[in-house]
Amino acid sequence: MQVGFYGHVRQYHNIKDEIDKNISEVLESGNYVMGPMLSKFEEKLASYAGTKYAIGVGNGTDAIWLSLMALGIGKGDEVIIPANTFFATAEAIWIAGAKAVLVDCDPRTKCIDPDAVEAAITDATKAIIPVHLYGHTANMKEVAGIAKRHDLKVIEDNAQSIDGHGNGFRQGELSDAMTISFIIQKNLGCFGDGGAVVTNNAVVDKEVRRLRNHGSLKRNVHTFGFNSRLDDIQAGVLLAKIDHITEWTDLRRSWAKKYSEGLSSCTTIELPYEAPGVRHVYHLYVVETVDASKRDSLQNYLQEAGIDAKTHYSIPIHLQDGYPWGKDAEIRGSLANVEKNASSCVSLPMYPELTADEADYVIEKVRQWDLKNT
Ligand SMILES: Cc1ncc(COP(=O)(O)O)c(C=O)c1O
């Protein structure tokens, strides 16, 4: 059996009529950029997120640096992030001209460790970017408390966890802005690049709208800006998909439950952790080998069995070749949990359109490997 890592085409086939209808509406309208479909999607996204504003942008990376710029963060400012995130979180800070300060993650949730954040704060610190990694919402209550005490801005990098929530709080509720990526493989993915900023802050809304469109809010009137817009075809795809996101998350959660039950007897791997009260959306189902030196063996075993197991992210930012490429960056404190995760992580196939046979096959092969390695 072959088990792929993604189910994009299956998903497209399941709701083809809804997607095709919106794409055709855009094509027939002649409005392909900043048109009515984008506005419709922005309204829908804001109402879904429970925020006053949603602004569609070119991708999830731009969403982060546009938010930083909108909040006035740039040269000379420090921004604290977890070192175990997709590269783009750090990249966005450098694009905004600020310094990336890398800290450790919580050993269980893999999200930023609030104690490490607090210990990393200096007079130059201006913002924290917690990342809702793998589908698990970060501990925003603690992060927001720290931000309040030290007068810092908070941007939630929610590229990976749309439709989740924390213990007693919504995503986007306890921050100045939240950024989303809609790249193909995300839980709410379009057919290319896409992103958004959602916020309750009118200044961030206005600034991101201006910056994404060549510094212009009115035809022919410009200040300094960029070109980073979510195009209307992608907005149409997302408008069709957003109505399904909760049902898709529930499916992901049911596959995660099946994996966790099926793998509960394994002694050589650790299973993903879900903190009490958190709705984990399982963007990724990441196990860790207890013995990091056996990670590649597990991944190769699954690959040879036709299962497309991947790693997220086996080389953390600070261990990439050439880091930090002349950019402003600093590690503060130990990154032991980040490095353990990087060296032992394996992501199993996870998407709503998996079948029970595929999930059973993945469980069977992981268990076989576990028995051989016990
Ligand atoms: C945590 C995280 N932040 C930022 C991004 C950047 O998003 P994009 O690829 O849409 O620029 C991604 C995903 O790609 C991500 O996973």
Side-chain angles (χ1 to χ4, degrees):
M1 183 184 276
Q2 298 289 316
V3 186
F5 198 75
Y6 301 118
H8 311 142
V9 180
R10 289 183 192 177
Q11 184 169 90
Y12 172 55
H13 289 161
N14 286 345
I15 58 161
K16 186 175 185 310
D17 291 351
E18 295 158 61
I19 289 176
D20 289 357
K21 180 176 156 292
N22 284 1
I23 291 179
S24 158
E25 189 179 319
V26 173
L27 293 179
E28 294 296 340
S29 78
N31 288 303
Y32 304 151
V33 174
M34 305 276 281
M37 191 59 89
L38 175 62
S39 302
K40 257 199 247 179
F41 175 63
E42 288 180 338
E43 264 170 47
K44 178 90 182 195
L45 181 63
S47 119
Y48 166 80
T51 52
K52 285 190 191 152
Y53 313 102
I55 314 107
V57 298
N59 54 67
T61 311
D62 290 5
I64 302 170
W65 60 258
L66 284 163
S67 298
L68 286 166
M69 286 186 191
L71 288 165
I73 294 164
K75 201 166 164 41
D77 298 334
E78 293 183 355
V79 181
I80 301 174
I81 58 168
N84 59 327
T85 177
F86 180 61
F87 193 76
T89 317
E91 197 174 38
I93 295 170
W94 294 321
I95 293 171
K99 174 173 180 171
V101 174
L102 308 177
V103 300
D104 211 359
C105 65
D106 178 278
R108 290 191 300 177
T109 65
K110 317 300 174 197
C111 295
I112 199 163
D113 173 1
D115 291 338
V117 171
E118 189 128 41
I121 293 171
T122 68
D123 288 348
T125 308
K126 289 290 173 317
I128 311 165
I129 307 184
V131 180
H132 302 324
L133 198 74
Y134 300 158
H136 193 290
T137 301
N139 187 341
M140 290 302 301
K141 278 189 185 158
E142 286 209 30
V143 170
I146 294 168
K148 198 165 176 207
R149 285 199 294 284
H150 296 271
D151 193 21
L152 307 175
K153 302 291 185 197
V154 180
I155 298 170
E156 288 169 72
D157 179 345
N158 194 13
Q160 301 195 357
S161 302
I162 194 162
D163 204 48
H165 63 65
N167 187 1
F169 62 90
R170 298 179 71 137
Q171 296 173 335
E173 184 185 341
L174 300 174
S175 59
D176 297 278
M178 178 166 86
T179 63
I180 305 171
S181 165
F182 301 122
I183 193 168
I184 313 156
Q185 69 271 22
K186 297 305 190 215
N187 291 24
L188 180 61
C190 60
F191 294 153
D193 281 306
V197 176
V198 300
T199 181
N200 288 311
N201 181 325
V203 175
V204 172
D205 174 64
K206 191 170 172 194
E207 277 303 285
V208 173
R209 275 183 201 287
R210 192 180 64 72
L211 289 168
R212 75 167 174 182
N213 189 34
H214 305 288
S216 175
L217 289 169
K218 194 173 164 202
R219 192 170 166 75
N220 291 328
V221 181
H222 296 264
T223 58
F224 181 71
F226 307 87
N227 179 356
S228 180
R229 302 169 296 215
L230 177 66
D231 72 58
D232 279 54
I233 289 185
Q234 303 298 359
V237 172
L238 293 164
L239 189 65
K241 285 192 174 192
I242 199 169
D243 281 336
H244 297 275
I245 187 65
T246 298
E247 129 209 357
W248 289 338
T249 304
D250 291 343
L251 282 167
R252 284 176 183 271
R253 287 178 56 78
S254 70
W255 295 127
K257 187 163 177 276
K258 188 173 173 65
Y259 277 161
S260 292
E261 283 169 2
L263 300 175
S264 62
S265 62
C266 295
T267 56
T268 61
I269 55 169
E270 283 169 16
L271 304 179
Y273 172 74
E274 194 171 313
V278 170
R279 176 169 161 89
H280 195 319
V281 301
Y282 293 97
H283 171 57
L284 297 165
Y285 185 94
V286 181
V287 301
E288 287 181 347
T289 53
V290 173
D291 179 350
S293 71
K294 293 197 171 160
R295 186 269 304 284
D296 292 351
S297 155
L298 172 59
Q299 190 188 4
N300 293 339
Y301 188 83
L302 296 176
Q303 288 280 354
E304 277 159 24
I307 297 167
D308 189 11
K310 297 189 186 295
T311 58
H312 298 81
Y313 299 94
S314 46
I315 312 175
I317 296 162
H318 63 289
L319 297 179
Q320 295 284 345
D321 252 7
Y323 162 89
W325 309 277
K327 300 292 173 198
D328 220 359
E330 193 179 322
I331 295 165
R332 292 224 178 106
S334 155
L335 296 183
N337 297 325
V338 165
E339 291 182 6
K340 176 180 175 285
N341 177 243
S343 58
S344 61
C345 61
V346 176
S347 311
L348 305 182
M350 169 54 70
Y351 49 92
E353 300 77 17
L354 271 176
T355 66
D357 283 351
E358 289 168 334
D360 282 336
Y361 181 67
V362 173
I363 291 167
E364 180 194 323
K365 290 294 156 189
V366 176
R367 286 174 61 137
Q368 265 174 20
W369 182 86
D370 176 66
L371 282 177
K372 282 181 205 278
N373 287 274
T374 302

